[in-house]
Amino acid sequence: MEEESMEVLLRRLDSKRPSSSVQEAAAKALLQRLLPSHISSFDFKLVQKDVCSGYSCFWIKNSNISSREGPEITIEGTTAVEITSGLHWYLKYWCGAHISWDKTGGIQVASIPRPGSLPTVKDKGVMVQRPVPWNYYQNVVTSSYSYVWWDWKRWEKEIDWMALQGINLPLAFTGQEAIWQKVFKNFNISNEDLNDFFGGPAFLAWARMANLHGWGGPLPQSWLDQQLVLQKLILSRMIELGMTPVLPSFSGNVPAALKRIFPSANITRLGDWNTVNGDRRWCCTFLLDPSDPLFVEIGEAFIKQQVREYGDVTDIYNCDTFNENLPPTNDPKYISRLGAAVYKAMVKGDKEAVWLMQGWLFSSDSAFWKPAQMKALLHSVPFGKMIVLDLFADVKPIWEKSSQFYGTPYVWCMLHNFGGNIEMYGILDAISSGPVDARVSQNSTMVGVGMCMEGIEQNPVVYELMSEMAFRSEKVQLKEWLKSYSLRRYGKEVHQIEAAWEILYRTIYNCTDGIADHNKDFIVEFLDWDPSWNFSSDMSKRHMQNLFRQDRTRRFSFRETSFVLPRPHLWYSTKEVIQALQLFLDAGNDLAGSLTYRYDLVDLTRQVLSKLANQVYLDAVTAFQHKDAKALSFRSEKFLELIKDIDTLLASDDNFLLGTWLESAKKLAAGPSEMRQYEWNARTQVTMWYDNTKTNQSKLHDYANKFWSGLLEGYYLPRASTYFRHLLRSLSTNESFKLEEWRKEWISFSNRWQSGTELYPVKAQGNALAISKALFEKYFN
């Protein structure tokens, strides 16, 4: 029954795709953008699934052309995405090329032979089938952490990257506020009413999920209009390439004005989500109960408005009910009615609708979502009409503990990144084995793999491997794979680099402690605490545990807190990683001109120095507790010096600059007032994030922290400097540490910085290799 319903869905989605000629032309246009010198070297052909034994696949063959001119390699595929995946596979494994995000080093194509000399494939060629139908992409918050300031030029590059990685089920959330504006107008809600409903550009994801309202807004009409135009370009390109975009649907989140206009409607106000004092200007959004007839009416109108704007482009819609907000009751009957109503609203708008749901709530609120509640939600729709994303399967898989989501089809997903943090981290073994183990397990309901990171453009090795799992039916032999990865990434074989990657594999990329990694290095997330507390008492330990978790949603319930002093997450031997850095530096003369090498060198040096800074911070705190002013002064100066040195290092690579983030925000503005608003949004998201008072930082401060040049010296350095100055004053006056005074001074500075307009560089300065060598010499020799 399961296989039959999935087959029906897949056939229906296949029927929506554009013609063979359109898809082949889209694949050819991608090749033109990627490798214009080889546009005549490849022939692309769309084929039916029966050529691939009923699966989606690509087939790489030698072209049967006797002449030296004309195509050398033919790539067949069941969609344009399969063709472009086959192109990427060929360029990787026959030509030694490497394709990465621009911000992680870009592409390495120097190894590709010139036209007329491309490597041949054996015999009848190589066919690669997808073991599961779908390769999903995005988290609902990626749109805010990574895509918020993108124009079409950047989106076009991303869609090309997606197509080369084989992604065929991408989230398409851009521009939905313009759709909502049109829908709510028909329910007598004015544009002014929506000013308090939509968040600002950098906070739209959480306004969409009913976590907050109004924060960073109001949204200018120019933003709404430009984003709708952008969404149409995005969807058009996705569809040409044979992808199935996932569009948003209605979860019950409504403007406050709806309660006034429909006084008898069953509308409740949700609880606080991370404001400092339950500030109702931003918190406690309004939820229309799914049992209310108005719910289906609005949900239907939203789906139909999207169809009017975009055409009949998909049957798959995302809806996340109660994302980090709990339902009013755990009664399974209520939850079942809720799910049925959500689905009914979809089906009224699109009779073939399928509900795609993030399974994050089953991790973040596991105490609430027991088997009865999970079953009630998952079984509230007809079988085959819901697909669940096992969002955190790389660390905390739900499929193992839920009888494969109680029969509901699911996608095995890697979450990996929180907040768009810059931190070298990964679990390569889990990525290699997890999807295979899940697919071959007894009574498996797995129908895809996916990448659900909160922010992109980091840890390229993790995303290259995860993308390949969409086409691999067996576990990857990682030592050999990493050897070929380093050869492709840097364009040549360098033994020191291979040895370095062996170390990185068993250290940084081997996190097996089950802890959700979120970068809490002291430079980028400075503790808001009084270090004079006596940690020998159980009371103080419990207090510190609570403070370290900071009640930031249930997202951090996996964090370790058993140390005498609070410490950021560390799962590997720093000595070994310092050795890996030494090997990277030793390879510098061979790879100095490689952008991919430079990115990895800067990132690895930053990683090593940030962990050193953590220890220096703890040494400073220990000195304060021992009332050793001289040692405190020495250690605090060393900590501040590390911040400056890391800033100088990051400034040497274009991909670690605050200025590019701020300028991309301002570039989208239609006038001076919007420019100020967008810059405030951009600065606030990566620092304080949410609201604060004079003496209380935001509960989400530093959640989206970044190791960016400009941010370190302009923001993190003044914070640490002010804090240590207060600690030293406490020792010199023999008075208790004035925590509240430090908070006042720091929060006042932060508020001014968030509203600031000072410029930061957008071009790298300095020689990354020379700087990294000098810093290694300074701190480790």
Side-chain angles (χ1 to χ4, degrees):
M1 180 179 175
E2 173 203 329
E3 290 181 3
E4 287 178 8
S5 63
M6 283 297 106
E7 280 303 313
V8 169
L9 172 60
L10 291 168
R11 283 198 298 272
R12 190 169 66 249
L13 293 173
D14 284 343
S15 71
K16 290 179 181 286
R17 298 192 213 287
S19 66
S20 298
S21 59
V22 169
Q23 292 190 62
E24 288 167 2
K28 203 74 171 178
L30 187 154
L31 173 61
Q32 174 72 47
R33 291 187 293 274
L34 175 70
L35 206 61
S37 57
H38 288 66
I39 191 67
S40 299
S41 300
F42 293 91
D43 187 28
F44 295 155
K45 292 181 181 176
L46 218 71
V47 295
Q48 298 299 312
K49 282 185 178 178
D50 54 10
V51 174
C52 311
S53 304
Y55 291 88
S56 295
C57 81
F58 58 78
W59 198 339
I60 306 168
K61 303 177 179 179
N62 301 313
S63 297
N64 295 318
I65 303 284
S66 55
S67 167
R68 290 194 174 187
E69 296 183 5
E72 301 166 71
I73 297 294
T74 296
I75 301 178
E76 299 177 348
T78 46
T79 67
V81 169
E82 316 309 315
I83 291 172
T84 54
S85 302
L87 171 67
H88 188 198
W89 204 269
Y90 176 79
L91 293 177
K92 281 167 70 168
Y93 289 112
W94 277 265
C95 303
H98 174 74
I99 295 165
S100 177
W101 288 299
D102 284 356
K103 270 191 170 291
T104 54
I107 63 172
Q108 190 290 110
V109 292
S111 61
I112 300 176
R114 67 182 185 277
S117 304
L118 289 180
T120 58
V121 294
K122 289 182 179 180
D123 304 327
K124 294 183 179 180
V126 174
M127 178 194 288
V128 177
Q129 299 172 329
R130 288 186 189 267
V132 283
W134 285 310
N135 188 2
Y136 173 81
Y137 185 53
Q138 292 179 44
N139 187 298
V140 293
V141 303
T142 320
S143 57
S144 289
Y145 282 135
S146 291
Y147 308 156
V148 53
W149 310 122
W150 285 6
D151 56 12
W152 169 241
K153 183 179 178 183
R154 178 62 187 86
W155 261 110
E156 184 174 53
K157 281 191 172 187
E158 188 69 9
I159 298 170
D160 284 354
W161 181 89
M162 289 160 53
L164 291 163
Q165 308 301 329
I167 291 158
N168 59 5
L169 192 67
L171 212 56
F173 265 29
T174 304
Q176 62 177 282
E177 283 69 31
I179 304 290
W180 278 119
Q181 185 185 50
K182 294 178 181 184
V183 169
F184 282 133
K185 187 176 181 180
N186 293 326
F187 290 87
N188 297 319
I189 292 175
S190 68
N191 291 349
E192 290 71 27
D193 292 329
L194 295 176
N195 286 342
D196 184 49
F197 180 58
F198 298 139
F203 302 97
L204 285 176
W206 301 275
R208 292 166 179 169
M209 292 187 291
N211 298 134
L212 55 80
H213 63 100
W215 179 251
L219 279 184
Q221 189 63 45
S222 59
W223 173 273
L224 297 167
D225 295 341
Q226 78 176 207
Q227 292 292 297
L228 185 59
V229 170
L230 184 58
Q231 170 75 336
K232 289 178 179 179
L233 291 170
I234 292 167
L235 287 173
S236 177
R237 181 59 55 80
M238 287 177 173
I239 291 157
E240 288 171 4
L241 286 163
M243 299 176 183
T244 298
V246 178
L247 292 176
S249 62
F250 182 49
S251 66
N253 181 29
V254 294
L258 197 76
K259 194 170 180 67
R260 183 189 73 243
I261 297 165
F262 296 92
S264 61
N266 186 0
I267 297 173
T268 56
R269 196 156 196 183
L270 295 175
D272 179 33
W273 184 86
N274 285 309
T275 62
V276 173
N277 291 322
D279 193 329
R280 294 203 158 205
R281 290 176 297 169
W282 327 119
C283 86
C284 314
T285 53
F286 291 87
L287 185 78
L288 176 62
D289 194 282
S291 64
D292 195 293
L294 196 58
F295 185 100
V296 173
E297 199 177 333
I298 293 174
E300 176 187 2
F302 181 64
I303 298 283
K304 286 184 173 177
Q305 185 64 40
Q306 289 186 108
V307 173
R308 276 194 290 273
E309 294 282 350
Y310 311 140
D312 184 13
V313 297
T314 190
D315 287 333
I316 303 186
Y317 300 90
N318 169 263
C319 184
D320 295 312
T321 52
F322 297 106
N323 185 75
E324 297 181 2
N325 281 312
L326 292 176
T329 172
N330 65 358
D331 181 0
K333 290 181 180 178
Y334 171 84
I335 293 169
S336 182
R337 288 196 301 271
L338 178 150
V342 169
Y343 176 67
K344 183 179 179 182
M346 288 182 196
V347 169
K348 292 274 281 186
D350 177 351
K351 60 182 175 55
E352 305 291 356
V354 174
W355 179 0
L356 181 85
M357 183 184 76
Q358 288 194 154
W360 175 249
L361 72 170
F362 301 136
S363 282
S364 66
D365 290 312
S366 56
F368 177 91
W369 293 99
K370 301 296 187 187
Q373 287 73 30
M374 282 183 69
K375 283 182 188 176
L377 183 59
L378 297 172
H379 293 173
S380 63
V381 304
F383 184 82
K385 294 296 186 178
M386 177 183 277
I387 301 168
V388 183
L389 303 177
D390 196 354
L391 207 73
F392 205 19
D394 52 328
V395 176
K396 301 279 181 181
I398 301 296
W399 70 267
E400 295 177 338
K401 301 175 182 177
S402 62
S403 301
Q404 308 258 350
F405 289 95
Y406 304 107
T408 304
Y410 76 94
V411 176
W412 191 102
C413 294
M414 174 191 78
L415 205 166
H416 183 256
N417 177 272
F418 290 90
N421 294 164
I422 296 171
E423 167 86 323
M424 293 182 75
Y425 157 81
I427 321 171
L428 296 184
D429 285 331
I431 294 169
S432 167
S433 61
V436 177
D437 291 341
R439 182 176 55 81
V440 302
S441 63
Q442 190 173 6
N443 300 319
S444 176
T445 58
M446 177 179 159
V447 293
V449 295
M451 296 184 286
C452 296
M453 64 286 117
E454 291 194 348
I456 63 167
E457 298 175 320
Q458 33 73 32
N459 290 288
V461 65
V462 171
Y463 293 89
E464 176 144 345
L465 179 62
M466 188 64 233
S467 295
E468 284 196 13
M469 297 314 296
F471 296 99
R472 290 193 177 274
S473 55
E474 295 181 353
K475 298 175 185 180
V476 177
Q477 300 303 309
L478 283 169
K479 288 187 178 179
E480 286 303 310
W481 186 88
L482 282 167
K483 198 172 179 179
S484 69
Y485 170 83
S486 66
L487 173 59
R488 296 193 306 273
R489 181 153 172 84
Y490 311 119
K492 60 173 70 172
E493 189 176 286
V494 181
H495 295 305
Q496 295 99 321
I497 289 288
E498 290 179 5
W501 271 106
E502 284 187 20
I503 295 172
L504 295 177
Y505 167 45
R506 67 173 182 261
T507 55
I508 283 175
Y509 292 110
N510 185 35
C511 183
T512 58
D513 58 16
I515 294 169
D517 189 69
H518 185 276
N519 194 339
K520 301 178 91 68
D521 287 341
F522 293 129
I523 288 176
V524 292
E525 183 164 327
F526 205 75
L527 284 184
D528 183 6
W529 68 307
D530 180 350
S532 34
W533 289 321
N534 177 9
F535 284 92
S536 61
S537 73
D538 289 340
M539 182 67 72
S540 294
K541 286 181 181 178
R542 285 198 299 273
H543 182 87
M544 197 62 227
Q545 288 174 10
N546 291 333
L547 179 136
F548 199 37
R549 295 186 187 199
Q550 296 201 12
D551 193 30
R552 298 187 181 180
T553 76
R554 290 148 296 277
R555 184 163 303 187
F556 295 103
S557 58
F558 312 117
R559 185 158 302 284
E560 83 279 50
T561 53
S562 59
F563 296 107
V564 174
L565 289 178
R567 297 167 187 257
H569 183 202
L570 185 64
W571 61 97
Y572 59 85
S573 161
T574 54
K575 286 183 179 179
E576 286 192 82
V577 174
I578 291 168
Q579 184 186 350
L581 176 56
Q582 176 74 76
L583 289 164
F584 252 84
L585 290 169
D586 291 345
N589 292 336
D590 289 324
L591 298 172
S594 165
L595 295 178
T596 45
Y597 167 77
R598 187 179 73 185
Y599 172 87
D600 289 346
L601 174 66
V602 170
D603 203 23
L604 182 55
T605 309
R606 173 212 55 76
Q607 181 88 5
V608 166
L609 291 177
S610 66
K611 304 311 172 193
L612 173 63
N614 291 339
Q615 187 55 52
V616 172
Y617 171 87
L618 293 172
D619 291 342
V621 167
T622 301
F624 173 79
Q625 293 174 342
H626 292 162
K627 300 188 184 300
D628 186 341
K630 185 177 179 181
L632 171 60
S633 178
F634 175 76
R635 296 297 180 185
S636 60
E637 284 301 320
K638 188 175 179 182
F639 187 81
L640 300 178
E641 192 175 356
L642 273 161
I643 296 178
K644 293 175 187 176
D645 284 344
I646 296 173
D647 192 280
T648 300
L649 169 74
L650 298 173
S652 68
D653 190 288
D654 288 333
N655 304 306
F656 295 94
L657 303 179
L658 169 65
T660 53
W661 169 255
L662 300 182
E663 292 307 312
S664 63
K666 291 188 281 185
K667 192 176 176 183
L668 290 187
S673 63
E674 288 180 23
M675 191 177 291
R676 286 192 296 274
Q677 180 190 5
Y678 294 178
E679 184 168 6
W680 182 91
N681 268 256
R683 285 169 173 253
T684 297
Q685 190 211 79
V686 299
T687 55
M688 195 62 78
W689 207 105
Y690 209 9
D691 69 329
N692 56 261
T693 65
K694 287 183 179 180
T695 56
N696 283 299
Q697 295 193 73
S698 159
K699 290 182 179 180
L700 293 174
H701 73 86
D702 299 319
Y703 181 86
N705 64 60
K706 304 288 189 293
F707 271 98
W708 282 340
S709 176
L711 197 57
L712 268 76
E713 190 138 7
Y715 189 81
Y716 299 138
L717 180 65
R719 173 168 64 185
S721 179
T722 305
Y723 185 79
F724 286 128
R725 180 162 40 81
H726 279 266
L727 286 185
L728 283 163
R729 185 184 301 160
S730 170
L731 291 187
S732 66
T733 60
N734 199 27
E735 294 178 345
S736 61
F737 173 60
K738 302 292 193 296
L739 178 62
E740 192 160 294
E741 284 186 17
W742 171 71
R743 283 176 174 166
K744 282 180 181 177
E745 187 174 345
W746 164 244
I747 292 169
S748 175
F749 176 92
S750 181
N751 289 338
R752 291 194 305 274
W753 189 90
Q754 289 163 243
S755 299
T757 57
E758 66 274 17
L759 298 176
Y760 288 89
V762 294
K763 289 294 179 186
Q765 300 170 337
N767 182 302
L769 178 58
I771 293 168
S772 184
K773 281 183 174 179
L775 292 176
F776 190 90
E777 196 70 24
K778 177 177 179 178
Y779 289 105
F780 302 109
N781 280 344

